[in-house]
Amino acid sequence: MATPTTVILFGATGDLAKRKLIPGLLHLFQSRLVDDMRVVGTSLDELSADQFREVAAQAIREHSTRELHEKDWQEFSSRLDFVPLSAGPAALRAAVERSEELLPGTEGLRLHYLSVPPKAALSAVSTIAQAGLVERSRVIMEKPFGTDYASSVKLNRQLHEVFDEDMIFRIDHFLGKEAAQNILAFRFANGLFEPIWHRNNISHVEIDVPETLGLTQRGDFYEATGAYRDMIVTHLFQILAFTAMEPPTALEPGAISREKNKVFRSMQPIQPTDVVRGQYLGYHDEPGVRPDSETETFVALKCFVDNWRWAGVPFYLRTGKRMAEGARIISIAFKEPPQSMFPAGSGVGDHGPDHLTFDLADKSRMSLSFYGKRPGPGFKLDKLSMQFSMGETSWAGAVLEAYERLIYDAVRGDHTLFTSAEGIERLWEISQPLIDNPPIVRPYAQGTWGPNQIHQLIAPYTWRLPFERQWRDKRTDMES
């Protein structure tokens, strides 16, 4: 069982809190994973505790994906409290102490979740210190963790004035997904795959996270951030580390973090010539965007992990706003056989190399594609695939949403899926050549896959997305 916990939720009336955090906290309470829980919300809004409960109820009605029983809601809502930031640190401390008096035991955990804009994060940390709420605490921070190497070092130094590093949990909701964690299971639990996870067998790796969404009223934030800072450093590089890391000495947070940081130390600096930056047409019309803005809404890049396992294997990363589809995939492309014994016209090689594909979206799927003989006379080859979907298993209902999993891990003090100060500073360090000399921003139409230059970037290979064939839906196949 988890430690009795008081969650101090900064930004408790914001969009993230309404969409993910409040419904997630309710589910952790319902599932009894964190059953001794109380929540103290705080924000710039002047609300009473009862008004905050109404906000929470509305958020759960609109955004929760699970059935809510009235008894559960009544019990959970009685554990909610609220203090406006304007009331000051002393009022916040008093509310936390009221909550802690109602928890069993005397050594409950204080979990501070900073669901606030980046410029407000240090102010929230200062409020925690002034309120005397650092003891027995952990703090969850949202991205971005700095905007370059110097700012990340400064941010970490200021954080460490209040919190020790083991008290800080820098969140990456991509790694909270079951599919991302399945990479570790797939690689290290199966003797079939770990020996071929090597430059001798792998041609290249793609990590592709296109989004159909635009700025969603975040023009001011995005203008100061852009796609590279918003997505590559804080999400896609973390996924790269899970994909490329060496086997840890144990399946425990310290060992996994060490191997992730080894990957970051082995990464070569990002060269501007290996990067394509784009901006969707119409971006300048978004609220909060400068009319002459050169902020990128799209970025694709090639990078290398310069170690024994991965030397010479390119990793291609792509993400962008207002693209043709929303997806989150990792695609491992295997090298083709050095020589073909099959006759011309057999079809071998017509559909590209064999691929192992992880779908990190909410459906949590993976696929292994390969060539096989088409039934009948002659020797005609087709591309076949074996697929697995979490939704087809008997334990699909046990899947925690990403934020739920990460909050639960923070309560338990498990840093496996979080980024360390050392790791984030190294990623900004290798990003500095690109930040200092960014390539020009190229326009692309909304609903496409980005600027045309992405094809020169990845040549002689091709982008895995868009897929030639869609994922199979077992239920649809059975119905047809």
Side-chain angles (χ1 to χ4, degrees):
M1 299 299 292
T3 305
T5 301
T6 296
V7 178
I8 300 95
L9 181 54
F10 288 80
T13 55
D15 182 62
L16 176 62
K18 291 176 181 177
R19 286 188 300 107
K20 295 294 183 181
L21 304 182
I22 292 172
L25 290 168
L26 170 62
H27 182 242
L28 289 174
F29 175 74
Q30 281 181 300
S31 62
R32 299 299 182 248
L33 289 171
V34 190
D35 57 346
D36 290 327
M37 175 204 296
R38 302 193 74 86
V39 179
V40 177
T42 185
S43 75
L44 295 173
D45 291 318
E46 299 288 333
L47 300 179
S48 67
D50 285 339
Q51 289 173 320
F52 176 58
R53 293 184 188 109
E54 292 174 8
V55 169
Q58 182 66 23
I60 288 163
R61 283 194 294 269
E62 291 182 5
H63 302 294
S64 179
T65 58
R66 299 178 175 90
E67 184 179 359
L68 176 62
H69 299 288
E70 183 62 24
K71 179 182 177 183
D72 288 339
W73 166 244
Q74 291 299 329
E75 190 173 355
F76 181 72
S77 65
S78 70
R79 295 164 179 260
L80 302 180
D81 201 351
F82 186 85
V83 180
L85 276 173
S86 60
L92 181 62
R93 180 179 178 85
V96 172
E97 288 178 341
R98 285 197 303 271
S99 290
E100 290 181 333
E101 288 173 1
L102 299 173
L103 291 173
T106 57
E107 294 297 318
L109 172 69
R110 297 160 178 168
L111 182 65
H112 306 279
Y113 197 119
L114 308 189
S115 178
V116 297
K119 61 185 179 183
L122 287 175
S123 176
V125 170
S126 177
T127 298
I128 294 167
Q130 293 173 39
L133 295 174
V134 175
E135 185 183 5
R136 295 184 277 112
S137 280
R138 294 176 185 140
V139 58
I140 297 178
M141 297 194 65
E142 285 283 340
K143 65 171 177 111
F145 314 115
T147 56
D148 56 19
Y149 177 68
S151 64
S152 68
V153 171
K154 180 180 179 181
L155 174 62
N156 286 327
R157 184 175 67 247
Q158 291 173 311
L159 287 174
H160 291 157
E161 291 174 0
V162 178
F163 295 105
D164 294 335
E165 177 63 21
D166 63 0
M167 301 166 73
I168 302 170
F169 291 75
R170 297 169 187 82
I171 201 164
D172 175 10
H173 68 272
F174 276 48
L175 294 187
K177 295 180 177 295
E178 287 286 345
Q181 298 162 55
N182 231 336
I183 298 169
L184 295 182
F186 197 85
R187 285 192 59 189
F188 301 130
N190 297 295
L192 174 63
F193 292 102
E194 178 53 28
I196 63 172
W197 213 266
H198 191 278
R199 58 186 164 82
N200 290 347
N201 307 294
I202 291 176
S203 163
H204 63 283
V205 178
E206 295 179 32
I207 300 173
D208 210 348
V209 186
E211 297 181 298
T212 57
L213 296 174
L215 300 192
T216 60
Q217 308 301 315
R218 298 193 309 156
D220 292 340
F221 164 78
Y222 208 79
E223 275 290 275
T225 308
Y228 185 83
R229 290 178 171 91
D230 185 41
M231 291 292 290
I232 298 291
V233 175
T234 51
H235 290 321
L236 274 68
F237 280 158
Q238 306 300 324
I239 295 171
L240 185 154
F242 262 51
T243 307
M245 63 188 277
E246 295 294 321
T249 55
L251 195 64
E252 56 91 15
I256 291 174
S257 182
R258 282 192 294 274
E259 296 305 331
K260 285 172 59 183
N261 286 338
K262 285 181 185 177
V263 173
F264 298 147
R265 288 196 298 271
S266 298
M267 290 178 66
Q268 295 181 348
I270 307 302
Q271 299 303 319
T273 52
D274 290 334
V275 179
V276 175
R277 296 168 72 232
Q279 185 184 92
Y280 65 76
L281 296 172
Y283 175 74
H284 289 164
D285 300 327
E286 299 278 11
V289 172
R290 301 188 315 275
D292 60 345
S293 173
E294 291 291 307
T295 300
E296 81 279 359
T297 63
F298 170 96
V299 63
L301 62 88
K302 175 171 62 176
C303 62
F304 294 90
V305 178
D306 193 18
N307 62 16
W308 190 272
R309 182 184 293 264
W310 295 108
V313 176
F315 286 75
Y316 297 98
L317 281 55
R318 176 173 65 169
T319 187
K321 300 285 188 184
R322 297 287 189 194
M323 297 185 68
E325 295 177 20
R328 298 165 183 172
I329 73 157
I330 305 169
S331 187
I332 314 293
F334 292 97
K335 290 184 175 180
E336 298 190 55
Q339 189 173 354
S340 175
M341 68 180 75
F342 300 99
S346 65
V348 66
D350 286 356
H351 299 283
D354 299 340
H355 282 89
L356 175 62
T357 304
F358 295 89
D359 184 347
L360 304 187
D362 293 334
K363 291 186 178 180
S364 187
R365 302 174 292 195
M366 67 178 69
S367 170
L368 179 64
S369 69
F370 51 90
Y371 286 96
K373 182 183 176 299
R374 182 186 300 177
F379 222 105
K380 191 73 174 176
L381 301 179
D382 277 335
K383 205 65 177 288
L384 310 175
S385 69
M386 294 188 294
Q387 297 186 7
F388 162 80
S389 173
M390 189 73 71
E392 296 171 2
T393 68
S394 59
W395 10 276
V399 174
L400 292 177
E401 292 190 0
Y403 281 98
E404 296 169 358
R405 170 60 190 263
L406 293 168
I407 292 171
Y408 179 58
D409 283 356
V411 169
R412 296 187 302 126
D414 186 337
H415 276 86
T416 301
L417 304 177
F418 297 87
T419 309
S420 69
E422 176 188 350
I424 201 68
E425 288 176 14
R426 172 58 183 168
L427 290 175
W428 284 121
E429 185 179 15
I430 65 171
S431 300
Q432 205 62 47
L434 173 62
I435 292 170
D436 291 341
N437 187 28
I440 64 171
V441 173
R442 302 178 183 276
Y444 65 97
Q446 297 186 37
T448 65
W449 291 98
N452 287 333
Q453 287 75 13
I454 61 172
H455 303 297
Q456 285 92 46
L457 175 71
I458 201 171
Y461 312 118
T462 58
W463 290 100
R464 188 89 166 108
L465 288 175
F467 288 130
E468 287 185 6
R469 295 173 297 170
Q470 295 300 309
W471 290 86
R472 290 197 299 269
D473 186 325
K474 188 174 182 180
R475 289 164 297 184
T476 303
D477 290 347
M478 291 174 66
E479 290 168 2
S480 60

